[in-house]
Amino acid sequence: MLQLPHRFMLAPAVLLALAGCAAPALAADADRPAVADFNSCAKPMYPKDALANKREGTVTVAFLVGTDGKTEDAKVKTSSGHADLDEAARVAIAKCRFSPAIKGGEAVRSWQPVQYVWTLK
């Protein structure tokens, strides 16, 4: 299967507010936000139709990270403009392991945004 260069970027802290509504503790409120272990992540595969049509874009996906570091929920917060790229990033990154957010020395559930950049360059 063809894999083209694309990369992970952590979203800026200001994007933490995008993710926030229902979580018991927000990453922005934590002493330390959740951190993705990108060595544990499945690299999203470029969808065939997106590749054929040379689609690129950046998607921001928010993940609800549990106290055990596992993803409990994942939602597209800012679309790349292409539903197939958004879904491929959401599904692949949801398989990542995280170090949970820490507040007051305890692991807490938190929303953590991650940007995925799809590029053919």
Side-chain angles (χ1 to χ4, degrees):
M1 192 169 268
L2 181 63
Q3 292 185 31
L4 294 176
H6 35 285
R7 63 191 189 278
F8 286 109
M9 288 190 334
L10 289 177
V14 70
L15 290 177
L16 293 172
L18 291 173
C21 42
L26 301 178
D29 294 336
D31 298 335
R32 190 203 77 207
V35 177
D37 173 6
F38 289 113
N39 292 324
S40 72
C41 300
K43 185 174 183 180
M45 298 299 295
Y46 237 103
K48 289 180 184 181
D49 191 51
L51 183 59
N53 290 294
K54 300 182 180 175
R55 293 186 201 136
E56 297 182 322
T58 300
V59 58
T60 302
V61 182
F63 297 94
L64 179 58
V65 179
T67 57
D68 61 358
K70 292 181 182 175
T71 300
E72 296 180 6
D73 196 5
K75 299 176 183 181
V76 173
K77 295 311 251 179
T78 305
S79 175
S80 66
H82 307 287
D84 54 352
L85 294 179
D86 297 347
E87 184 62 8
R90 188 193 68 77
V91 168
I93 302 170
K95 297 175 183 172
C96 293
R97 293 279 304 165
F98 288 79
S99 294
I102 302 295
K103 179 146 183 99
E106 298 289 325
V108 294
R109 293 173 71 217
S110 66
W111 284 97
Q112 180 63 46
V114 176
Q115 284 185 335
Y116 195 82
V117 177
W118 295 95
T119 182
L120 296 170
K121 298 174 185 168

